[in-house]
Amino acid sequence: MDYFNYRGAELYAEELKVADLALKYGTPLYIYSKATLERHVRAFEEALKGRPHLVCYAVKANSNLAILELMASMGVGFDVVSAGELSRVLRAGGRASDCVYSGVGKRRDEIAFALKAGIRCLNLESEAELEAVSAVARELNVVAPVAVRVNPDVDARTHPSISTGLKQNKFGIAFERAYAVYERIAADPHLKVSGIDCHIGSQMTSGAPIVEATQKLLDLYGRLRTLGISIDHIDIGGGLGVTYGDETPPSPYEYMQAVLSKIGDPELAVFVEPGRAMVANAGILVTETLYLKDQGDKRFAIVDAGMNDLIRPALYNSWMNIIEVQKSADKSEKRLYDVVGPVCESDDFLGRERRLAVKEGDFLAVRGAGAYGMAMASTYNSRPLCAEIMVDGDRVHVIRDRQSLEDLWRGEHLLNGE
Ligand SMILES: *Cc1c(COP(=O)(O)O)cnc(C)c1O
């Protein structure tokens, strides 16, 4: 459920016509709906009500400062994977004490930065990293709160590129080793056991894999308790899927209910790290149709947004819904198009074989573009990063200026040093 809906033939973002926004702010343009973001935050908060908990929004899904600011203002914490993401959170008014830090390759300077900032928990992804965290904590004369990111060897039953909880994936510490690693942590004066963590994959459309993973974490939790190692939180990671097409993922409430029903101890805090489910359907990418091209057995709609603006279709072959911003009254005009961008790569497409009624100059919108859209954008082909706006009722906040051409080479130098 989101706030991008048609009124008659016109697509609206909350109270505003998308076509008007595209004309005013230019294309390609990311448009977010504030009401949709708030709705998603509330859905997770409601699902965890009455339990000690922390919803940690996964910053990597969309790291725009205004989105982080909105989340922080609603009491949401964050899952960060770099010092850059933690800095963004702090800049946006979030607190390090509400952040968990994941990722297989944290550098020592990043670990130090997080510890000095007062991070809530470092999620350890290897035993080598454990030693690094211990050494940095010793240097800083602090005690680092840590969790072991367990690789539970559970199949998230999602796209292989976004599956992370299998033994063959680089993430986490093998379930069989986790117990021994906790013993090492407990014995280290510069480390403090805080939680147990996992993250098994993304775009999961069933709750079953996460329930299976939770059960494994709880078995470990029970064993650690008998040893006198106490855990203050269990972090089930992110991964709840969204509807791009015909997927029917559980609601945040159903998803969390399935997990919570397994967790007996009412004192044990539950952390969850949703990224996609928070932001995907709160954003659209609006693009203008530049040219139509008929190649005999294929028709192309060439649009002004490309894989540099939205790489999910090219990277994962993801299907994203492409809709007309102003629907044509005449349905007979609908034809099958490959919707492709201007980038010089054959994989530069937004959607293949889409039935659309479109003319040159018409705007199209890619739905579900709020997650892993702008966050993965690049300037490939020297295309400036596009603008982002957030609609709030009938108001607009520009939350990222469109890059200028000069921005493209900021920080570069000619050979004479200029
Ligand atoms: C990417 C990631 C998330 C968020 O995943 P979504 O599928 O977007 O919910 C959460 N936790 C970790 C550790 C991640 O790497």
Side-chain angles (χ1 to χ4, degrees):
M1 165 63 239
D2 61 48
Y3 294 89
F4 298 102
N5 293 303
Y6 285 106
R7 293 187 196 166
E10 283 278 342
L11 182 65
Y12 275 72
E14 300 195 10
E15 300 301 320
L16 297 172
K17 283 185 186 173
V18 169
D20 291 348
L21 296 170
L23 285 172
K24 178 156 185 203
Y25 298 98
T27 54
L29 177 69
Y30 276 97
I31 304 179
Y32 305 104
S33 152
K34 184 162 177 257
T36 310
L37 288 166
E38 288 167 343
R39 191 189 152 90
H40 293 169
V41 171
R42 279 196 296 267
F44 276 97
E45 289 292 344
E46 288 285 311
L48 284 155
K49 215 168 58 188
R51 265 268 173 193
H53 70 271
L54 187 62
V55 177
C56 299
Y57 165 62
V59 172
K60 75 174 191 282
N62 189 319
S63 56
N64 185 285
L65 287 182
I67 289 178
L68 303 182
E69 178 190 12
L70 177 66
M71 302 264 176
S73 74
M74 294 183 78
V76 168
F78 300 91
D79 170 53
V80 300
V81 296
S82 67
E85 285 192 352
L86 179 55
S87 305
R88 280 182 174 274
V89 167
L90 299 176
R91 171 73 183 87
R95 289 188 303 232
S97 56
D98 292 332
C99 291
V100 298
Y101 188 166
S102 309
V104 291
K106 305 175 192 79
R107 283 200 322 249
R108 283 175 185 241
D109 59 307
E110 292 183 302
I111 295 166
F113 177 71
L115 288 176
K116 282 188 209 152
I119 195 91
R120 173 70 178 76
C121 187
L122 288 162
N123 293 334
L124 302 178
E125 302 232 12
S126 63
E127 293 177 59
E129 186 191 348
L130 178 158
E131 281 165 28
V133 171
S134 173
V136 173
R138 188 172 342 106
E139 272 164 40
L140 295 176
N141 198 25
V142 296
V143 177
V146 297
V148 172
R149 175 168 175 182
V150 175
N151 184 329
D153 198 26
V154 168
D155 187 354
R157 301 192 266 285
T158 182
H159 188 285
S161 305
I162 52 176
S163 190
T164 53
L166 284 172
K167 270 192 178 151
Q168 70 232 43
N169 301 125
K170 70 178 174 183
F171 299 99
I173 294 177
F175 187 73
E176 302 73 51
R177 281 295 303 159
Y179 185 71
V181 175
Y182 274 106
E183 286 186 310
R184 276 180 73 179
I185 297 169
D188 188 319
H190 290 284
L191 300 176
K192 172 181 173 297
V193 173
S194 175
I196 308 185
D197 170 54
C198 75
H199 171 70
I200 60 171
S202 197
Q203 185 55 11
M204 289 187 282
T205 51
S206 145
I210 202 65
V211 169
E212 200 184 322
T214 302
Q215 190 54 58
K216 285 195 138 177
L217 298 195
L218 288 170
D219 294 347
L220 181 61
Y221 168 69
R223 275 183 70 188
L224 293 171
R225 250 170 84 121
T226 59
L227 253 205
I229 297 177
S230 73
I231 300 281
D232 65 41
H233 72 271
I234 176 167
D235 182 342
I236 62 160
L240 176 58
V242 301
T243 302
Y244 289 109
D246 55 10
E247 305 92 334
T248 52
S251 69
Y253 185 80
E254 293 162 338
Y255 183 77
M256 291 311 311
Q257 240 8 78
V259 168
L260 294 180
S261 67
K262 292 271 163 199
I263 303 175
D265 183 351
E267 301 292 304
L268 182 61
V270 177
F271 289 13
V272 60
E273 305 168 352
R276 191 187 308 272
M278 282 288 211
V279 290
N281 292 326
I284 60 174
L285 173 64
V286 183
T287 182
E288 184 186 337
T289 309
L290 300 174
Y291 305 107
L292 298 178
K293 181 163 161 176
D294 187 345
Q295 301 276 67
D297 50 359
K298 244 198 198 312
R299 271 172 216 280
F300 293 96
I302 301 167
V303 299
D304 70 353
M307 64 190 285
N308 70 298
D309 304 300
L310 179 63
I311 202 173
R312 297 189 64 256
L315 186 63
Y316 310 123
N317 206 19
S318 309
W319 190 93
M320 302 184 74
N321 197 7
I322 301 176
I323 60 174
E324 294 136 12
V325 167
Q326 293 168 309
K327 282 200 255 192
S328 154
D330 183 2
K331 290 277 181 284
S332 65
E333 289 175 31
K334 288 218 180 227
R335 294 208 155 104
L336 269 193
Y337 290 98
D338 278 11
V339 180
V340 301
V343 173
C344 304
E345 293 283 346
S346 292
D347 273 341
D348 179 32
F349 74 99
L350 297 178
R352 293 197 166 116
E353 303 195 346
R354 302 307 171 86
R355 190 161 291 284
L356 294 164
V358 63
K359 304 183 300 302
E360 289 177 9
D362 283 357
F363 296 121
L364 296 174
V366 186
R367 279 183 150 284
Y372 306 107
M374 192 63 191
M376 286 182 145
S378 76
T379 59
Y380 184 43
N381 277 208
S382 285
R383 292 167 43 80
L385 291 178
C386 63
E388 295 177 288
I389 62 175
M390 191 186 293
V391 173
D392 176 12
D394 59 3
R395 293 174 53 212
V396 177
H397 302 275
V398 175
I399 62 171
R400 181 196 296 267
D401 296 330
R402 187 176 303 282
Q403 268 191 335
S404 68
L405 294 176
E406 290 75 21
D407 288 335
L408 283 175
W409 52 82
R410 178 145 304 143
E412 293 180 38
H413 299 285
L414 296 171
L415 293 178
N416 66 5
E418 267 176 34

